[in-house]
Amino acid sequence: MRKIIAALAFVLAASPGHAGVDAERTAACFACHGERGQSETENTPSLGAQQAPYLLIQLFMFREKLRAFEPMNEVTKPLTDDDLRTFSDFLATLPKPAPPADAGDPARMQRAQALAQQHRCNSCHNTDFSGRDNVPRIANQREDYLAKTLGEYKDNSRHGYDGSMADVMAQVTPEQIADLAYFLARVR
């Protein structure tokens, strides 16, 4: 574990002497995650306005196979540390995804907002759920992706670089997960 943390610290701290991102290199990103940062692919996250440090960590974890998802493991395998920084910086500049057109069922939104407060989601993800530093923006993320990810934290099949989310999600029911995903996808 120390070796992983040391390698990650190096990637985060190394100076960015990198070239820009070209269309050919972003085609693989946009194919799944959407050209304007808003995914239209089921269970695939929208990356627009995501926190660059968070994206960098995730790309690093995919490259090093600390997160297992074969398409991402393959895409990131040839990337250098500079490439990872370039991509994370670029993706963070894409526009924030728009929430669904419908504002949502008021009772369900209120119930989920109370859950988010109860579980202190805003203490890490900010009051507007925009994230910060190595904590992701979850506002306006795809509802299906949020539900899937929260469920994976709950059943401990998704491992992050710390155990915070698994601890939080341990006490949340599947019905509450569905409500939280519904709410977060529609945050205005």
Side-chain angles (χ1 to χ4, degrees):
M1 188 64 161
R2 284 185 185 182
K3 195 181 243 186
I4 293 167
I5 292 170
L8 185 54
F10 174 77
V11 170
L12 289 170
S15 63
H18 48 71
V21 178
D22 62 39
E24 182 181 330
R25 296 185 81 189
T26 58
C29 301
F30 293 157
C32 298
H33 296 283
E35 276 193 44
R36 300 289 303 151
Q38 185 155 352
S39 173
E40 295 181 18
T41 306
E42 185 178 356
N43 290 316
T44 302
S46 295
L47 300 179
Q50 194 55 268
Q51 303 299 317
Y54 171 77
L55 290 167
L56 177 60
I57 291 167
Q58 298 310 304
L59 289 170
F60 175 83
M61 289 177 69
F62 281 124
R63 185 186 71 188
E64 302 302 316
K65 295 189 176 181
L66 300 171
R67 268 189 77 185
F69 183 65
E70 192 57 34
M72 286 300 300
N73 299 132
E74 283 302 309
V75 166
T76 56
K77 185 172 25 177
L79 300 179
T80 67
D81 291 349
D82 283 342
D83 291 335
L84 297 181
R85 277 188 294 281
T86 299
F87 276 104
S88 61
D89 290 346
F90 169 74
L91 293 169
T93 68
L94 295 175
K96 176 180 128 178
D102 74 283
D105 171 58
R108 190 172 185 194
M109 292 291 285
Q110 187 174 23
R111 186 172 63 236
Q113 186 172 20
L115 275 170
Q117 289 174 337
Q118 175 189 343
H119 294 288
R120 298 175 27 103
C121 301
N122 63 345
S123 66
C124 294
H125 294 278
N126 281 337
T127 56
D128 63 354
F129 307 104
S130 62
R132 66 172 153 244
D133 300 323
N134 62 337
V135 178
R137 177 195 46 75
I138 53 177
N140 310 129
Q141 188 55 264
R142 289 183 56 90
E143 182 178 347
D144 59 348
Y145 178 74
L146 286 164
K148 174 183 168 290
T149 301
L150 292 172
E152 290 170 347
Y153 279 122
K154 178 171 180 58
D155 70 18
N156 212 22
S157 62
R158 180 170 179 158
H159 305 286
Y161 46 90
D162 71 30
S164 301
M165 282 301 298
D167 291 344
V168 170
M169 296 310 297
Q171 31 185 323
V172 180
T173 69
E175 295 79 18
Q176 291 172 328
I177 287 173
D179 282 347
L180 284 168
Y182 182 85
F183 167 72
L184 292 167
R186 288 166 177 78
V187 169
R188 303 242 184 261

